[in-house]
Amino acid sequence: MSKISAVLLLIGLSWCCTAQVSMETGIETDILETIARQAAPSQEPDPQYAKWSRLAFHEAGKVYTLLDYRYLGHSHVAAGVDQQQFRFWVRHKGVEFPLIVSIRYDPVSEKLFTIDMEQERRRNLQIL
């Protein structure tokens, strides 16, 4: 498992499983210990987008069932405005579809401006 995959898996697990994982069966403990061992040796700092990734997981998870995730990238939108974008594969009312989450913020103070969630349509799909 790559380092980035391990970090993203940890982010997802920490977000969705906080205080809900039962450690009594031993299976969850084995999985979490394996992930921790794989992520721990690198001792690299979180990627710059980790804070925004957790926020995107949290906000999208309030409305949708999250199935998959991909970091799309960072861009400078305007002076004093940066954007991080994420693509989630989600389920809502029995329908699965891609969802783009865009987070705009001040790069210096990290003050949050907006969080936009938009269902990705066929006409605006990006080739990754």
Side-chain angles (χ1 to χ4, degrees):
M1 178 180 290
S2 74
K3 293 176 186 177
I4 291 177
S5 296
V7 169
L8 294 176
L9 187 56
L10 283 172
I11 291 168
L13 284 173
S14 67
W15 171 78
C16 69
C17 300
T18 302
Q20 294 182 6
V21 176
S22 170
M23 297 299 198
E24 295 170 14
T25 63
I27 296 171
E28 294 88 353
T29 304
D30 293 343
I31 293 170
L32 293 175
E33 286 175 359
T34 301
I35 292 168
R37 275 194 305 267
Q38 290 176 348
S42 67
Q43 296 300 319
E44 293 178 12
D46 284 346
Q48 290 181 338
Y49 61 86
K51 171 184 178 177
W52 307 111
S53 174
R54 287 189 292 272
L55 182 60
F57 267 95
H58 180 72
E59 292 300 315
K62 288 180 181 178
V63 181
Y64 305 100
T65 301
L66 306 178
L67 304 174
D68 200 4
Y69 154 87
R70 182 172 187 159
Y71 175 63
L72 296 179
H74 169 263
S75 60
H76 299 285
V77 178
V81 182
D82 280 14
Q83 176 174 276
Q84 298 282 353
Q85 280 195 311
F86 307 88
R87 177 184 289 136
F88 291 91
W89 193 259
V90 300
R91 182 181 304 123
H92 186 65
K93 297 182 180 178
V95 178
E96 294 181 7
F97 56 91
L99 177 77
I100 300 296
V101 178
S102 301
I103 300 175
R104 292 188 178 188
Y105 62 96
D106 181 321
V108 176
S109 68
E110 294 192 345
K111 177 185 173 194
L112 179 65
F113 294 134
T114 63
I115 300 174
D116 295 320
M117 292 187 279
E118 180 182 1
Q119 181 176 348
E120 190 173 45
R121 306 270 184 223
R122 184 71 177 162
R123 67 182 169 356
N124 65 353
L125 282 177
Q126 298 176 4
I127 298 175
L128 300 177

